[in-house]
Amino acid sequence: MLLALTMTLGAVAQTSPFKYVDAEALPTAADGVQVFSFNGDLLDMIPMTSVTKIIKKGNSASVMGNVGTLFKKLKSLDVYIASTPESIDKLQKAFAPMLTPGLHRSIKPLLVVNQPEDNLNVQIVSRESGICCWRKCRELLISVQDGDEYYVVGLTGAFAPKDIQKLVSSAFPSDK
């Protein structure tokens, strides 16, 4: 039974939640990258209504209202944090298939913020599938280079493109 469990965990560990990211290219803690992964079952155990109520009390009420919509459709949440040049390089290479503009037709850039004076670079992309009015965003990837740290947040689910657009426009209003 222990052998079966080990084989099952090994198979699960080698799958990537992102279509165009090779599971073997994903960095791990051994590579100096902090990894936090939450699957649908674990996300169901987190009281998201309490979390959103706490955050809504701050200045980001409009953003959290739109995040709540995505939480309901979330299947997995993966966070990668790198803080050394080597780990940043590995993380950037692993997610390059999704973050390189024009590499895949189904990858849509939603936002690019480049502020060299603040040493900040933000990129948000989504992978869409389906046709016309039934189109869904299966993956949402947020990449943030902030000084000497690099973050990648990946969400998988069946999000409506309009929900993601509302989130992006509330988080980064065009007047700023």
Side-chain angles (χ1 to χ4, degrees):
M1 186 151 87
L2 183 59
L3 178 62
L5 180 61
T6 305
M7 296 297 284
T8 304
L9 289 176
V12 171
Q14 293 182 0
T15 60
S16 172
F18 311 103
K19 181 173 182 174
Y20 297 118
V21 176
D22 180 21
E24 293 185 16
L26 285 173
T28 63
D31 299 316
V33 175
Q34 295 177 39
V35 181
F36 304 93
S37 294
F38 303 92
N39 65 15
D41 294 333
L42 187 58
L43 289 167
D44 287 341
M45 294 170 34
I46 299 172
M48 292 301 178
T49 53
S50 301
V51 172
T52 54
K53 282 180 188 176
I54 291 168
I55 297 174
K56 276 186 181 181
K57 292 179 182 176
N59 296 334
S60 55
S62 63
V63 174
M64 285 314 297
N66 293 315
V67 168
T69 306
L70 296 181
F71 277 154
K72 295 175 189 168
K73 301 174 183 180
L74 197 59
K75 288 186 182 175
S76 72
L77 171 68
D78 297 280
V79 179
Y80 301 86
I81 303 170
S83 57
T84 66
E86 297 82 22
S87 61
I88 290 172
D89 186 51
K90 285 185 181 204
L91 197 53
Q92 287 173 332
K93 285 180 181 175
F95 284 98
M98 288 191 69
L99 296 170
T100 304
L103 194 58
H104 297 287
R105 227 179 37 218
S106 63
I107 303 291
K108 306 291 183 210
L110 300 175
L111 177 77
V112 175
V113 175
N114 191 2
Q115 297 177 340
E117 65 277 0
D118 296 331
N119 206 9
L120 177 70
N121 193 351
V122 179
Q123 186 177 2
I124 302 176
V125 298
S126 68
R127 182 181 68 82
E128 296 182 356
S129 64
I131 56 170
C132 211
C133 59
W134 293 288
R135 186 166 294 282
K136 294 287 181 191
C137 296
R138 301 292 177 196
E139 299 164 15
L140 180 65
L141 202 65
I142 303 164
S143 163
V144 179
Q145 176 81 47
D146 186 10
D148 55 355
E149 289 193 312
Y150 183 63
Y151 309 88
V152 175
V153 178
L155 300 102
T156 61
F159 315 115
K162 66 179 179 177
D163 296 334
I164 293 174
Q165 288 293 354
K166 284 181 188 177
L167 174 65
V168 170
S169 60
S170 65
F172 297 95
S174 59
D175 61 332
K176 290 187 178 181

